[in-house]
């Protein structure tokens, strides 16, 4: 269960994930008949989840998640363009909304400097056997350095809200606008990466930006 929960809990705030399979998923949803997009999206998802597992189990550096982001974005947009104009519009809508949301969220993070739960309650968490036995250590990578004081708001919850709003817009499946940010926000709180207020504000921010950007 933790392996499944770790996906939405860390997939919407990382460039490689969000601008990787996230863009392809939106494009494939907007162009339901494109087998090319579906095939590439499945391949990208498998690759992303494999890297995701390697990073969370500390067999690979988180650097590889962020370094490949721009290249993956360009490849995805190229494939989307070759597929259809509708897919390109949907992909551009998602990318614009996500980048805008993350820029706003990061500016707020820098101005508030709120400590993450894994930093504030680190010593207490270290004595909890249920926490030390977890294989998926999201909090351990965020409780040190500059990341430790970038808790408010949650970029992953904001990214999940953007993804959900865009999917709901291009497909008409409105539950996605609620399910995605809830899954992302719950995961961030469960893994002690954010406080409840962080994910609530992040979700609202992503929903507002996603709904405001006109595609």
């Amino acid at each position: 269960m933790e392996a499944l929960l770790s996906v939405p809990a860390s997939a919407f705030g990382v460039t490689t994930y969000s601008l990787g399979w996230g863009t392809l998923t939106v494009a494939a949803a907007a162009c339901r008949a494109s087998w090319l997009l579906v095939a590439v999206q499945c391949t990208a998802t498998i690759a992303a989840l494999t890297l995701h597992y390697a990073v969370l189990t500390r067999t690979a550096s988180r650097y590889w998640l962020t370094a490949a982001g721009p290249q993956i974005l360009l490849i995805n947009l190229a494939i989307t363009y070759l597929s259809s104009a509708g897919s390109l519009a949907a992909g551009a809508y998602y990318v614009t909304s996500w980048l805008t949301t993350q820029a706003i969220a990061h500016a707020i993070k820098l101005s508030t400097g709120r400590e993450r739960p894994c930093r504030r309650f680190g010593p207490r968490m270290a004595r909890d056997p249920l926490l030390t036995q977890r294989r998926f250590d999201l909090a351990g990578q965020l409780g040190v350095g500059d990341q430790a004081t970038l808790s408010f708001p949650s970029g992953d919850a904001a990214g999940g809200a953007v993804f959900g709003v865009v999917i709901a817009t291009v497909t008409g499946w409105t539950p996605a606008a609620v399910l995605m940010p809830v899954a992302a926000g719950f995961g961030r709180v469960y893994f002690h990466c954010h406080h409840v207020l962080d994910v609530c504000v992040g979700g609202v921010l992503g929903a507002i930006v996603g709904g405001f950007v006109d595609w």
Side-chain angles (χ1 to χ4, degrees):
M1 289 300 295
E2 285 190 354
L4 293 177
L5 184 60
S6 69
V7 176
S10 62
F12 296 114
V14 179
T15 305
T16 306
Y17 291 167
S18 299
L19 300 186
W21 64 264
T23 307
L24 281 175
T25 302
V26 170
C31 184
R32 301 180 181 90
S34 174
W35 288 103
L36 173 63
L37 274 181
V38 173
V40 174
Q41 192 272 338
C42 290
T43 303
T45 300
I46 294 174
L49 292 180
T50 301
L51 184 58
H52 172 84
Y53 181 84
V55 170
L56 293 185
T57 54
R58 299 180 180 179
T59 55
S61 171
R62 191 176 179 86
Y63 165 79
W64 295 107
L65 289 181
T66 56
Q71 293 89 334
I72 291 179
L73 172 59
L74 293 176
I75 294 173
N76 286 346
L77 289 180
I79 295 173
T80 302
Y81 177 76
L82 294 175
S83 176
S84 73
S87 293
L88 179 62
Y93 169 34
Y94 170 68
V95 170
T96 302
S97 300
W98 188 87
L99 290 175
T100 303
T101 300
Q102 295 303 319
I104 297 174
H106 193 67
I108 299 175
K109 286 174 180 285
L110 293 176
S111 63
T112 56
R114 188 182 194 188
E115 285 188 330
R116 296 180 185 271
C118 53
R119 170 71 171 271
R120 179 173 296 181
F121 307 111
R124 186 186 308 175
M125 293 169 58
R127 295 191 297 268
D128 190 334
L130 294 179
L131 296 181
T132 56
Q133 292 174 4
R134 286 182 181 173
R135 184 168 178 79
F136 293 86
D137 184 21
L138 273 67
Q141 303 177 39
L142 299 175
V144 296
D146 295 338
Q147 286 290 330
T149 56
L150 298 179
S151 184
F152 180 83
S154 170
D156 285 88
V162 167
F163 184 82
V165 168
V166 173
I167 288 292
T169 301
V170 301
T171 65
W173 193 61
T174 54
V178 176
L179 293 177
M180 295 302 177
V182 168
F186 178 79
R188 298 306 279 177
V189 173
Y190 175 83
F191 287 106
H192 303 281
C193 300
H194 287 286
H195 304 277
V196 174
L197 180 62
D198 303 339
V199 300
C200 290
V201 173
V204 171
L205 173 63
I208 291 176
V209 175
F212 181 78
V213 175
D214 184 11
W215 68 299

